[in-house]
């Protein structure tokens, strides 16, 4: 009683106390209470207490439901029947009570039936028990109908801490009882006040995919009743749910698929088609129209394979879907978007026509179908294109509404791409071009004109750019000619610039492309000076133009330099941010790559000169100034140099530039090594120089490595490891670099292993862990001769064992990948010679490694990591065969049988053994997921398993 009163007081505080801290304290106490063993009895008592208020009833019903779902194993086996009887009494008591409480109790009973087999439940299992209870207590029908509704839903609920084998058994029990359930529901149809509940329960059982023969379903009273409800004046939501489930059921593999379910399909489709007229009936309620539209969308999605044949009947469904797509409400129209995509795939994918035999027949059928569907897709283009138009009050849209509008534009863009895949880019472009012409006809250079229709048409034209031929000579020249005539409204200019960028390949390939380049560059310069948004779009488009038209623009390099210098100097009135200026750097770098070598080298120097001058000015002010300057004032210039090194594809020229720049880079390394942002930018620039220059960097690489090796010891910047990874990739196999690479590797790894000595170190420095083990994997791939025989190799394996269970995703993946690379070492020709060294390190640690990996599978790491942990365990098992299986078996034996049964353990061991012997890894996926599921089924079991395996407390074998 004292605990019951405390619960009531805590609930009162949670809902009514004015002090936030008191409410939070009450909430924490209630959450802790729900995990206790006492929660069972207290929640049950309070639910039966007539004096409990609504807040108490809701909390206690949720507590009891959660306890049954997750913690049923806490109870002794003899507690089952009293618990069932108590829940049954509550169902009867609450048949007219609060629906929210009744639902929680119904879910609790359903969850209980998942835990307990039909034999142990007695009375022929849960469904027969419900039937008998309904017959004995007809006044409690609402409660038992709700229980019948939630039962099939709980069959697949992973909130219930049941073993996978029991969950499968429960599904079979329900499917074998489906006849009883449907008989009960059919009998209840006569009670008109319960008809909605009956149909909702029926929909729930159909969702179970129970394998009822089509001929039986087609004439079943429940189906006929749902169909007749469609025709009534008041459209029933429950009947719509039933028909929707039946549509999905008729195509499910478990029900035999389309051919087996044709009798059902032939009765469903005509009934739904009769609703077509309601789509455009203004007197219809919007919710009713939405429900009808949903049925048509379900038919389209489910029967798309039949519809793609282009039969007369299927085209009637297509016309209905066109009507849905034309609805003024976007939420209704967009229900069809998935159908248009799936239909496009069926129409254009070669696999759809394989049954037609030879290529000639396949192509003939494909052409026939595409021809049939031209008209619907042409209509679709016109119907959806207006939806991307900015609303009149666009300037007043909230951030959320603006986000929704952008999502609408993306979705419409995808539909237009689907249409272009069927119609061809040129046909789709013509339709959209006519809309652009129409929009421009009402919008000259008058500032008061409505720019929005033209912007919408251009947005759509841009969306299909990948489907328009590079050499289209009919429409694209006219589109390009119109762009310069449009008003300079910021949003419109933004889309104009993006459209130019999207058609950069056309500008390069089309005969008229070169003459258009001058005019589009003028538009881009206008975009750069109009608004921040249009400037960003113009800079991106400039990059695309210079990338795709680089050969044509070689003769205009001086003009391009002028644009670049005006933009980065801030003297041209351009509104380009520092980030967008990088697009201009990239653009010029791409054009420079096409110049003859001598010209390219001079152009590269000219491109670097203003950047180098700015950095040199800072360096000349002395070390104190370099240390005090804001990071951004350095990184803005360093990032530009990095992009030049990345995109100017002249290795020798970039290597020379890097050599000249090294004194500046060294000064920044020396005086800013404490600053992560500056170091990341500098290491990124060095990385691109190394990638582009390759072996030509030989003159600079030694001093660069010496620099970062010394600085890493002082400042622990992860980017030093990341830069070293790139160096290892390029120079790892170069014998002339072996000595200083060995020194680098040993210094970096030795220091890192001293930084990461316990799991807390990994958690506080995940970026160092991530980059360290990425570098280690690179060493295994590119310089095993340096890394594997080195004294740091064993200590790095130990370090990996400590950090495997880090929760940080990238760091964890890098550690696991490193371990699997170690285990797979002997699979490559370069690594095979180091097998004995690897074995001397791994074998003494094998049992501990195995235990850590099994612990990771069973709860130490999130279930989202199962794939990568599984591969690592499999790599270990394939490398060490029987010995590794002994390690696994010894580890599995540690887990108590209360958590994992012998059958579950042996199933996992058998699958691992077969996969290690060469079976496909996919055969291991199911058993691993099951073991993981069993060990994580509730908090208590997970604690038992991790307590038995103790992955963080293992005594590692010292390196001999």
């Amino acid at each position: 009683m004292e605990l019951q009163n405390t619960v009531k007081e805590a609930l009162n505080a949670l809902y009514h106390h004015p002090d936030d801290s008191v409410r939070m304290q009450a909430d924490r106490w209630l959450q802790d209470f729900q995990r206790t063993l006492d929660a069972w009895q207290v929640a049950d008592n309070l639910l039966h207490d007539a004096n409990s208020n609504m807040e108490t009833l809701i909390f206690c019903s949720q507590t009891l439901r959660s306890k049954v779902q997750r913690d049923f194993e806490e109870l002794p086996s003899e507690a089952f029947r009293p618990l069932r009887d108590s829940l049954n009494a509550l169902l009867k008591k609450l048949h007219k009570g609060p629906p929210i409480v009744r639902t929680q109790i119904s879910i609790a009973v359903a969850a209980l039936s998942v835990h307990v087999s039909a034999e142990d439940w007695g009375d022929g299992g849960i469904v027969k028990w419900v039937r008998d209870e309904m017959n004995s207590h007809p006044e409690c029908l609402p409660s038992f109908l709700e229980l019948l509704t939630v039962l099939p839903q709980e069959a697949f609920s992973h909130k219930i801490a049941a073993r996978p084998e029991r969950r499968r058994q429960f599904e079979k029990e329900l499917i074998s009882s489906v006849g009883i359930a449907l008989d009960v529901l059919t009998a209840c149809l006569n009670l008109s006040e319960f008809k909605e509940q009956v149909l909702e329960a029926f929909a729930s059982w159909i969702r179970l995919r129970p394998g009822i023969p089509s001929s039986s379903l087609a004439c079943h009273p429940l189906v006929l009743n749902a169909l007749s409800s469609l025709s009534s004046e008041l459209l029933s939501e429950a009947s719509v749910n039933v028909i929707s489930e039946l549509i999905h059921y008729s195509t499910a593999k478990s029900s035999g698929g389309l051919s087996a379910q044709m009798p059902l399909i032939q009765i469903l489709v005509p009934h739904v088609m009769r609703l077509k007229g309601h789509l455009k009936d203004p007197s219809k309620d919007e919710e009713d129209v939405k429900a009808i539209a949903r049925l048509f969308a379900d038919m389209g999605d489910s029967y798309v394979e039949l519809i793609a044949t282009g039969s007369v009947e299927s085209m009637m469904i297509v016309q209905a879907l066109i009507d849905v797509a034309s609805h003024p409400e976007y939420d209704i129209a967009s229900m069809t978007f998935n159908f248009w995509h799936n239909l496009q795939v069926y129409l254009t994918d070669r696999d759809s026509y394989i049954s037609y035999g030879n290529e000639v027949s396949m192509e003939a059928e494909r052409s026939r179908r595409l021809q049939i569907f031209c008209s619907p897709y042409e209509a679709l283009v016109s119907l959806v294109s207006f939806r991307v138009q900015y609303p009149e009050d666009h300037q007043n849209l909230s951030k959320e509404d603006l986000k929704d509008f952008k999502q609408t534009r993306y979705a419409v863009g995808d539909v237009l791409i689907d249409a272009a895949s069927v119609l061809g880019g040129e046909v789709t472009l013509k339709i959209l071009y006519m809309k652009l012409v129409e929009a421009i006809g009402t919008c000259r250079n008058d500032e008061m004109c409505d720019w929005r229709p033209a912007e919408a048409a251009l947005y759509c034209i841009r969306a299909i750019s990948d489907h328009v031929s590079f050499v289209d000579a009919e429409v694209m020249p006219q589109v390009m000619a119109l762009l310069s005539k449009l008003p300079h409204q910021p949003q419109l200019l933004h889309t104009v610039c993006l459209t130019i960028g999207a058609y950069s390949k056309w500008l390069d390939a089309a005969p008229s492309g070169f003459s258009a380049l001058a005019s589009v560059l003028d538009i881009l310069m206008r975009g750069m000076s109009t608004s921040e948004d249009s400037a960003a779009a113009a800079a991106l488009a400039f990059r695309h133009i210079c990338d795709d038209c680089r050969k044509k623009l070689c003769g205009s390099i001086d003009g391009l330099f002028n644009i670049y210098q005006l933009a980065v100097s801030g003297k041209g009135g351009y509104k380009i941010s520092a980030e967008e200026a990088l697009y201009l750097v990239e653009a010029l770098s791409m054009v420079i790559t096409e110049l003859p070598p001598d010209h390219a080298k001079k152009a590269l120097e000219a491109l670097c000169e203003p950047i180098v001058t700015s950095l040199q000015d800072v360096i000349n002010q002395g070390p104190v100034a370099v240390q005090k300057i804001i990071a951004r004032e350095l990184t803005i210039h360093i990032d530009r140099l990095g992009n030049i090194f990345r995109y100017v594809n002249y290795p020798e020229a970039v290597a020379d530039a890097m050599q000249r720049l090294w004194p500046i880079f060294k000064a920044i390394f020396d005086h800013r090594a404490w600053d992560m942002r500056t170091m990341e930018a500098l290491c990124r620039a060095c990385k691109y120089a190394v990638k582009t220059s390759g072996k030509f960097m030989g003159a600079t690489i030694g001093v660069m490595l010496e620099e970062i090796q010394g600085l890493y010891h002082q400042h622990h910047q992860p980017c030093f490891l990341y830069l070293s990874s790139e160096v290892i990739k390029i120079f790892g196999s170069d014998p002339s670099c072996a000595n200083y690479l060995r020194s680098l590797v040993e210094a970096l790894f030795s220091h890192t292993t001293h930084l990461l000595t316990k799991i807390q170190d990994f958690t506080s420095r995940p970026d160092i862990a991530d980059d360290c083990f990425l570098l280690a994997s690179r060493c295994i791939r590119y310089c095993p001769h340096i890394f594997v025989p080195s004294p740091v190799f064993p200590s790095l394996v130990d370090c990996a064992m400590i950090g495997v269970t880090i929760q940080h995703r990238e760091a964890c993946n890098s550690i696991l990948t490193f371990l699997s690379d170690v285990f797979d070492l002997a699979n490559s020709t370069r690594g095979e010679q180091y097998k004995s060294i690897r074995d001397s390190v791994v074998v003494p640690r094998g049992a501990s490694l195995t235990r850590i990996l099994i612990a990771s599978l069973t709860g130490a790491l999130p279930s989202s990591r199962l794939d990568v942990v599984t591969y690592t365990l499999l790599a270990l098992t394939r490398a060490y065969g029987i010995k590794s299986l002994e390690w696994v078996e010894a580890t599995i034996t540690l887990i108590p049988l209360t958590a994992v049964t012998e059958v579950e353990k042996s199933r996992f061991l058998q699958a691992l053994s077969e996969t290690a012997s060469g079976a496909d890894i996919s055969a291991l996926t199911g058993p691993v997921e099951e073991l993981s599921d069993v060990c994580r089924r509730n908090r208590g079991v997970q604690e038992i398993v991790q307590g038995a395996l103790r992955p963080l407390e293992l005594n590692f074998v010292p390196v001999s």
Side-chain angles (χ1 to χ4, degrees), residues 850 873 876-889 912 916:
T850 304
L873 179 63
L876 176 67
T877 311
R878 284 180 171 167
Y880 293 101
I882 293 172
K883 188 185 292 288
S884 64
L885 290 170
E886 289 171 358
W887 295 332
V888 173
E889 192 167 356
L912 184 61

Side-chain angles (χ1 to χ4, degrees), residues 7-308:
V7 169
K8 289 179 183 177
E9 288 167 9
L11 285 167
N12 188 56
L14 177 65
Y15 286 104
H16 304 292
H17 201 285
D19 189 333
D20 284 348
S21 63
V22 173
R23 288 203 300 274
M24 286 176 64
Q25 189 179 352
D27 187 39
R28 279 196 298 272
W29 186 89
L30 288 166
Q31 286 184 40
D32 291 339
F33 162 75
Q34 286 179 311
R35 298 190 189 108
T36 65
L37 199 57
D38 289 325
W40 288 99
Q41 191 65 59
V42 171
D44 186 66
N45 290 349
L46 288 173
L47 284 166
H48 285 281
D49 186 348
N51 296 318
S52 292
N53 61 17
M54 180 63 78
E55 291 158 357
T56 304
L57 290 174
I58 290 172
F59 172 76
C60 290
S61 64
Q62 289 173 338
T63 300
L64 205 51
R65 181 262 302 157
S66 175
K67 295 296 282 184
V68 175
Q69 285 179 325
R70 307 299 304 168
D71 301 325
F72 179 67
E73 291 181 50
E74 288 180 347
L75 300 178
S77 57
E78 62 270 17
F80 154 66
R81 201 161 292 277
L83 176 60
R84 187 191 76 173
D85 293 344
S86 179
L87 291 170
N88 185 17
L90 287 170
L91 275 181
K92 293 169 184 170
K93 173 190 170 187
L94 294 164
H95 73 274
K96 287 185 178 177
I100 186 172
V101 178
R102 190 171 66 227
T103 298
Q104 297 300 309
I105 300 301
S106 296
I107 295 172
V109 176
L112 188 60
S113 69
V114 177
H115 287 296
V116 179
S117 69
E119 294 80 22
D120 291 339
W121 187 278
D123 307 307
I126 178 74
V127 179
K128 286 182 181 177
W129 178 83
V130 172
R131 179 194 62 189
D132 295 343
E133 288 292 324
M134 289 173 83
N135 289 336
S136 305
H137 304 278
E139 74 281 2
C140 301
L141 209 58
S143 288
F144 290 112
L145 280 174
E146 179 143 24
L147 177 54
L148 272 182
T149 304
V150 300
L151 261 176
Q153 296 168 2
E154 295 304 299
F156 306 106
S157 171
H158 282 265
K159 289 181 180 177
I160 302 173
R163 298 172 187 275
E165 184 58 46
R166 172 58 201 151
R167 199 175 281 119
R168 287 191 290 269
Q169 190 183 354
F170 178 69
E171 185 187 348
K172 289 176 185 173
E173 289 169 7
L174 285 189
I175 289 174
S176 68
S177 303
V178 71
I180 301 169
L182 298 195
D183 286 346
V184 171
L185 294 175
T186 303
C188 294
L189 275 176
N190 299 323
L191 305 167
S192 57
E193 69 268 32
F194 297 119
K195 183 178 166 184
E196 282 280 296
Q197 245 191 306
V198 168
L199 290 177
E200 285 293 359
F202 179 46
S204 190
W205 280 87
I206 293 298
R207 205 172 297 131
L208 191 62
R209 306 285 184 261
I212 306 167
S214 178
S215 54
S216 301
L217 265 184
C219 59
H220 198 284
L222 288 163
V223 174
L224 298 177
N225 198 283
L227 288 169
S228 67
S229 296
L230 288 184
S231 309
S232 66
E233 201 56 41
L234 287 170
L235 190 66
S236 157
E237 183 182 350
S239 64
V240 170
N241 289 340
V242 168
I243 305 307
S244 175
E245 288 300 335
L246 287 168
I247 290 169
H248 294 306
Y249 177 78
S250 65
T251 59
K253 286 182 180 178
S254 58
S255 67
L258 285 169
S259 55
Q261 292 294 327
M262 201 52 73
L264 179 60
I265 294 169
Q266 286 169 342
I267 192 174
L268 292 176
V269 173
H271 275 83
V272 177
M273 288 302 295
R274 286 176 203 147
L275 302 172
K276 182 172 176 284
H278 297 318
L279 290 169
K280 295 188 175 181
D281 184 347
S283 67
K284 275 287 172 190
D285 178 78
E286 188 180 314
E287 288 305 310
D288 283 353
V289 175
K290 195 174 282 188
I292 293 166
R294 175 184 149 205
L295 289 179
F296 279 110
D298 284 342
M299 278 205 313
D301 290 341
S302 298
Y303 305 144
V304 64
E305 189 177 348
L306 287 174
I307 293 169

Side-chain angles (χ1 to χ4, degrees), residues 750-812:
S750 175
H751 191 65
T752 304
T753 54
H754 283 95
L755 289 176
L756 305 175
T757 59
K758 53 188 181 297
I759 190 65
Q760 291 81 358
D761 297 335
F762 283 81
T763 302
S764 63
R765 294 176 167 179
D767 43 0
I768 286 184
D770 184 21
D771 286 321
C772 167
F773 287 99
L774 282 173
L775 173 60
S777 283
R778 279 267 170 97
C779 288
I780 288 176
R781 292 189 190 101
Y782 294 101
C783 57
H785 59 291
I786 292 173
F787 176 56
V788 179
S790 76
V792 294
F793 177 56
S795 56
L796 203 61
V797 173
D798 281 338
C799 187
M801 291 168 69
I802 296 168
V804 167
T805 55
I806 183 174
Q807 299 303 295
H808 187 277
R809 186 182 62 188
E810 287 80 10
C812 177

Side-chain angles (χ1 to χ4, degrees), residues 47 488 587 715 804 840 904:
L47 284 166
H488 303 163
H715 300 285
V804 167
S840 69
E904 290 162 339

Side-chain angles (χ1 to χ4, degrees), residues 791-836:
V792 294
F793 177 56
S795 56
L796 203 61
V797 173
D798 281 338
C799 187
M801 291 168 69
I802 296 168
V804 167
T805 55
I806 183 174
Q807 299 303 295
H808 187 277
R809 186 182 62 188
E810 287 80 10
C812 177
N813 285 344
S814 296
I815 294 169
L816 287 165
T817 301
F818 163 70
L819 287 173
S820 59
D821 286 343
V822 170
F823 305 146
D824 287 337
L825 184 66
N827 295 346
S828 67
T829 50
R830 292 181 70 190
E832 192 175 0
Q833 58 189 300
Y834 306 108
K835 183 174 179 294
S836 60

